Amino acid sequence: MANQPDGTDGRSDGSNEQRWIPESSRRRLLKLGGVGALAATVGGAGMVAGQQEDDGGDDEGDEADGAGDESGGSDAVLDDLVDPTFGYPLAADETGSVTLEHSVVATIEEGEGAHEEFPSEPDESAPGSFVEIPAEFLFDPVGLQVEPGDLVHFRNGIGLHTVTAYTELADPNLEVPRRVPEGVQPFTSPPMTPDQSWVYEFSEKGVYDYLCLPHLGLGMVGRIVVFDPEEDDISDEQFSAPTSGPLFPNDARVLEAEELAPANIVEAGEVAWEDLSLGTPTATPSGTGTPDGTGTPDGTGTPDGTATPEGTGTPNGTEGAGE
């Protein structure tokens, strides 16, 4: 992990510390290899390959798929296909045939975007100041309320993205906090290229935070509240916003936005990306520190590079453990 301008390794002490992605994140925002490696590790690649083989050699399966196309990709057709960990991926030529009540787009908006100074990173030439990364990486709607058992169709617009539970699955070496309901196993889509999509069933009630793995730390996160308005009380503890942390600052600015409070999501039904009121970036005590000394070797926050809790380990075999 590269040293920061103040000569430190990026660590700082304090209960509210946050981690930053250094300037190199602007130069390399995507790494297909790293995301693909994670999908293969957790079994996503094998599952996709298996499904492709089944689709190619099973006439009955093709007929079932055709029925789904005719009915607009009905819940009934997809229900039995959605895996609780890996969901159900759809190729680009299949995406348009699926029409579900809930749909989320993963995309990139180049330029200044809808929010000032977002995403941002510390200005290495001026400690305590920030520079804006000239693109916004987002899910839209960024907040969504669904009922137990509902399917959500995540569609990729521009770039390469995943839909990954905000849990240790994202990168165990980064000690990513768990921000899904207890008892829910971590889930992830495979890497999606433009026009590909992914369907996931949200079965358990509660609040789910999720992220895009290639853009971890750049604020590409979302929140889904699984809530039955006829049975549930939003004041119940199970519908409280996740509090485990620490989070990357850009992720925190999104997930801590007032509009993404679970009660507000339930009241609105969904929250559009442009409707978020994001606060200004906040420096850590050193201006550049990370909460636990973690990060990736090039500081991009992507899963192809890891570091140890003391900030010294690299993928070349160096290991370390935080004391």
Side-chain angles (χ1 to χ4, degrees):
M1 178 171 174
N3 284 350
Q4 303 297 336
D6 60 2
T8 69
D9 64 359
R11 296 187 64 186
S12 63
D13 297 319
S15 58
N16 295 318
E17 297 162 330
Q18 299 171 313
R19 66 186 82 185
W20 289 102
I21 299 175
E23 185 179 357
S24 55
S25 61
R26 276 190 281 167
R27 300 192 297 269
R28 189 176 67 84
L29 299 174
L30 295 174
K31 266 286 182 86
L32 175 59
V35 182
L38 174 117
T41 298
V42 297
M47 183 193 74
V48 175
Q51 287 171 339
Q52 290 173 340
E53 290 175 6
D54 290 343
D55 289 344
D58 186 347
D59 291 337
E60 256 183 57
D62 290 341
E63 289 176 10
D65 288 344
D69 293 348
E70 184 176 349
S71 65
S74 69
D75 290 16
V77 172
L78 288 171
D79 270 342
D80 294 334
L81 302 176
V82 178
D83 185 88
T85 297
F86 303 115
Y88 187 73
L90 294 160
D93 59 356
E94 298 172 315
T95 293
S97 66
V98 172
T99 303
L100 297 175
E101 179 181 356
H102 305 294
S103 178
V104 176
V105 176
T107 190
I108 301 172
E109 293 183 2
E110 296 184 357
E112 294 184 357
H115 304 285
E116 186 177 355
E117 295 186 284
F118 185 88
S120 64
E121 60 189 5
D123 186 346
E124 296 185 0
S125 65
S129 299
F130 301 87
V131 291
E132 182 175 357
I133 298 172
E136 290 186 356
F137 308 84
L138 60 104
F139 294 104
D140 196 15
V142 65
L144 182 66
Q145 181 254 317
V146 304
E147 296 188 21
D150 281 357
L151 299 175
V152 179
H153 188 197
F154 295 88
R155 299 181 292 113
N156 187 23
I158 299 173
L160 182 144
H161 307 289
T162 72
V163 179
T164 303
Y166 215 116
T167 66
E168 64 281 357
L169 177 63
D171 192 331
N173 294 291
L174 286 177
E175 299 182 3
V176 174
R178 180 183 178 88
R179 298 175 68 89
V180 299
E182 287 299 323
V184 172
Q185 62 189 55
F187 56 83
T188 187
S189 71
M192 297 184 293
T193 55
D195 297 325
Q196 292 183 333
S197 63
W198 184 70
V199 176
Y200 186 74
E201 179 179 355
F202 289 86
S203 301
E204 301 298 324
K205 296 178 181 180
V207 181
Y208 296 70
D209 288 347
Y210 63 94
L211 54 85
C212 170
L213 207 49
H215 302 114
L216 175 63
L218 291 172
M220 190 166 181
V221 295
R223 174 169 290 166
I224 288 178
V225 181
V226 182
F227 177 90
D228 187 334
E230 295 185 0
E231 297 181 359
D232 300 326
D233 185 341
I234 193 61
S235 65
D236 289 348
E237 185 176 351
Q238 72 179 119
F239 300 110
S240 299
T243 57
S244 60
L247 300 174
F248 287 98
N250 290 312
D251 294 357
R253 289 174 65 187
V254 174
L255 295 175
E256 293 172 3
E258 180 181 358
E259 293 82 2
L260 289 191
N264 291 338
I265 293 176
V266 169
E267 181 179 0
E270 63 179 49
V271 178
W273 172 256
E274 64 179 10
D275 291 337
L276 286 185
S277 53
L278 302 183
T280 57
T282 303
T284 58
S286 66
T288 56
T290 65
D292 51 9
T294 60
T296 59
D298 61 2
T300 59
T302 57
D304 58 325
T306 60
T308 62
E310 60 185 14
T312 57
T314 63
N316 62 6
T318 306
E319 295 183 356
E323 295 294 329

